[in-house]
Amino acid sequence: MKNGEIVVDETTLRATSKLVQETEQETEEEMEEELDKQVVDEGSFIRMQRGSNPQLSKRWTFEETELFYELLKELGLNFTAISARIPGRTREQIRKKYFKEYKSYPLKIDKLLQN
């Protein structure tokens, strides 16, 4: 402060600006290094080998659920055979669907499997 006024020291501003630029550059370099060091664990390796399936998280449609029930009645608990008849669905998705449906509608599932 000089004579009651605030005075800005421009050299300090430049130094701070340079420091910010250096910090940003270091951060970008660290991020690039992190991307280069991505770890491939067993699960991600298996997913890479099988190929990614974009439908893994896709919700079941009404039509798919109805087809699931029909195939469950026809094929029983053969999840592999059911998955072969429902396009885009894996055996694991069929298995999970079965247990979810059984938890919600056990009597319906039992009746389908008895016939």
Side-chain angles (χ1 to χ4, degrees):
M1 261 179 128
K2 286 186 179 180
N3 298 329
E5 294 181 7
I6 298 176
V7 178
V8 177
D9 182 9
E10 291 184 23
T11 59
T12 305
L13 289 176
R14 288 188 187 125
T16 303
S17 176
K18 186 175 182 181
L19 178 63
V20 169
Q21 288 175 351
E22 289 173 358
T23 305
E24 287 175 352
Q25 185 177 5
E26 289 173 4
T27 304
E28 287 178 17
E29 290 171 0
E30 290 171 2
M31 289 173 57
E32 287 176 7
E33 288 175 14
E34 284 298 316
L35 289 174
D36 290 339
K37 294 189 292 186
Q38 285 186 353
V39 177
V40 177
D41 62 3
E42 182 180 351
S44 61
F45 179 76
I46 290 171
R47 284 188 295 279
M48 286 188 306
Q49 293 297 314
R50 284 188 294 190
S52 62
N53 185 349
Q55 293 185 338
L56 287 179
S57 62
K58 180 182 153 191
R59 296 182 68 89
W60 284 75
T61 65
F62 177 78
E63 291 79 15
E64 285 178 317
T65 301
E66 290 300 309
L67 180 58
F68 167 79
Y69 279 121
E70 290 174 19
L71 293 173
L72 190 62
K73 184 176 182 178
E74 179 184 332
L75 303 171
L77 297 177
N78 188 344
F79 301 137
T80 304
I82 294 172
S83 68
R85 306 259 305 264
I86 301 178
R89 294 295 180 179
T90 65
R91 181 192 183 285
E92 184 64 19
Q93 288 174 314
I94 302 297
R95 189 184 74 79
K96 287 180 180 180
K97 178 69 170 172
Y98 167 77
F99 285 110
K100 181 181 176 189
E101 294 295 317
Y102 190 81
K103 187 176 180 180
S104 300
Y105 311 105
L107 297 176
K108 182 177 182 176
I109 299 292
D110 286 339
K111 186 176 178 183
L112 283 173
L113 293 175
Q114 287 176 358
N115 293 335

